[in-house]
Amino acid sequence: MKVRRVLVANRGEIALRIVRACHEEGLEAVAVYSDPDSSSPHVRAADAAVRIGPGPAAQSYLSIEAILAAARATRCQAIHPGYGFLSERAVFAEAVEAAGLGFIGPPSAAIRAMGDKTQARRRMQAAGVPVVPGGMAPLEDPREAGRLAEQLGYPVLVKASAGGGGKGMRLVHRSADLPGALESAASEALKAFGDAAVYLEKYLVRPRHVEIQILADEWKTIHLGERECSIQRRHQKLLEESPSLAVSPQLRREMGQAAVAAANAVHYRGAGTCEFLLDASGRFYFLEMNTRIQVEHPVSELVYAVDLVREQLRIVRGLGMGVSEWPLAPRGHAIECRITSEDPANGFLPSTGTIEHLQVPAGPGVRWDGGIETGNQVGLYYDSLLAKLIVHGEDRPSAIRRMLRALDELVVVGVGTNQAFLHRLLGDPEFARGEIDIQFLERRADLLTPAADPVRDARIAIAAALAEAERRSGQKPLVASDGGDREGTDEWGRAGRIDALRD
Ligand code: MV4
């Protein structure tokens, strides 16, 4: 398909990420924006921009008609949906295909096949991909559920067939609780997905969440190893890394082969991700497939030296992926931190306001995928992801140290962020040993709040008192000495003190 101009149907960091990839591929990029986003970085980075509606997503980024109209008006040949919003709506992919435009994602049939969880489980099992023991079709009646649960052994998990992301999920420890769980899961599923169908799975205790990145064109399907995504809270990932400490080269080959088989079973094209649960004994089970570019794609890019968004663009144009050697070997270790406008110490309450000042980390091995800048408003219309901070190092300990250094450089003034929490997490000995699973943050709630630190409190009080005294006296600030054993001999310190004594 001939593509010269791409409509970027998203906002924030991922929209900017896609605009950059278009430009590197020699393509024009058209941004769309809602009213509160009119001066966002993704709008200015694009070659043209179209207003699609007011703040509420339902009237802008989720409006299929508004997006298609913007693509027509600017004569784009393809649409990149990014993640979230319309990215996994089969009806949107169909509408894009029907309009004669390229959908930068898999065929709508692949989205549909993976969106129905029990259908996906049947197709995966047929393709030889291990799935969690459980039902292979929606439950018909409670008696059937009881029999299956006894057979699987408690605890079991009730899941929504149309679900994903944890909605409509119920953990059941004993048979007496099963009927109630089936009922409440079904009603939650009906509300959330318009489909009350539920099924049962054996509940896995304390697994890791490990996902495999895949890439498929008309000629081949490859994988780019795994991402370790166990550090999450209420299904919101907070930190991802690649590779996973729990995955040996042998296991990587096995999981990679399973993910490639999963993709081929639904005739997948483009970038996609197979989610697995990995138990303590190294057994892995297919959970679901995400048929989009994911938030955490950069860690795979750094470790495998592949630009996944550029590959998506190549593939939709029919050029085939640029990756020729295969299998690819991972190099070093990458970590991504999601910088959100949420306060972990206060139940992850979202914070709003204007970004008064932003200092972005840089230097060796540091990547900033951001969608905000000084002066931008952070509101409540969209999710709280401000930016992603990604580092690459020669091994995991150096990547951790590099992330701590980068977090030290980051300054966000005007809205609260989770920066201090991420710093505590990266500095934690248990995290450093890699002893993580999906329940890590539930166990380690201590990391959510700052440890009592009277010395730090005293320093903050002194700094505040000094700032106030300085304001009152109108004096120039004294330049701090380096505090080391050369105190009083440092030339910069001397110059600063002389300067401060002037006039
Ligand atoms: C599970 C599970 C344990 N056992 N299935 C959560 C959302 C959906 N994607 C699947 N999920 C889970 N399915 C079985 N049989 C635990 C979870 C789960 C989870 C999975 C991945 C990442 C974070 C999670 C947090 C809580 C529960």
Side-chain angles (χ1 to χ4, degrees), residues 316-396:
V316 78
R317 298 165 76 189
L319 301 176
M321 66 182 82
V323 182
S324 48
E325 80 212 85
W326 162 255
L328 294 170
R331 199 194 115 244
H333 197 95
I335 303 177
E336 170 179 284
C337 281
R338 298 191 185 194
I339 311 296
T340 67
S341 53
E342 290 177 357
D343 180 7
N346 197 2
F348 285 80
L349 196 77
S351 160
T352 60
T354 304
I355 307 280
E356 315 254 356
H357 179 71
L358 176 66
Q359 179 182 296
V360 167
V366 174
R367 169 172 164 182
W368 175 264
D369 277 22
I372 50 149
E373 52 192 28
T374 300
N376 285 169
Q377 292 275 129
V378 176
L380 287 171
Y381 283 123
Y382 313 111
D383 86 359
S384 59
L385 185 72
L386 299 177
K388 306 178 310 205
L389 177 56
I390 313 111
V391 301
H392 187 218
E394 64 195 33
D395 54 21
R396 190 168 185 270

Side-chain angles (χ1 to χ4, degrees), residues 43-128:
V43 173
R44 246 175 316 105
D47 302 284
V50 182
R51 178 191 176 272
I52 48 167
Q59 294 164 62
S60 49
Y61 300 105
L62 280 172
S63 165
I64 294 179
E65 304 81 61
I67 300 284
L68 287 178
R72 271 193 299 271
T74 53
R75 288 178 292 116
C76 289
Q77 293 87 24
I79 300 185
H80 197 308
Y83 53 68
F85 296 125
L86 296 170
S87 60
E88 295 186 277
R89 302 271 179 97
V91 286
F92 177 61
E94 277 160 6
V96 173
E97 289 161 3
L101 303 173
F103 179 73
I104 304 178
S108 54
I111 301 178
R112 224 177 262 293
M114 288 301 186
D116 177 334
K117 303 303 162 195
T118 57
Q119 186 195 344
R121 280 167 61 77
R122 289 193 298 275
R123 290 180 76 151
M124 293 306 107
Q125 195 171 52

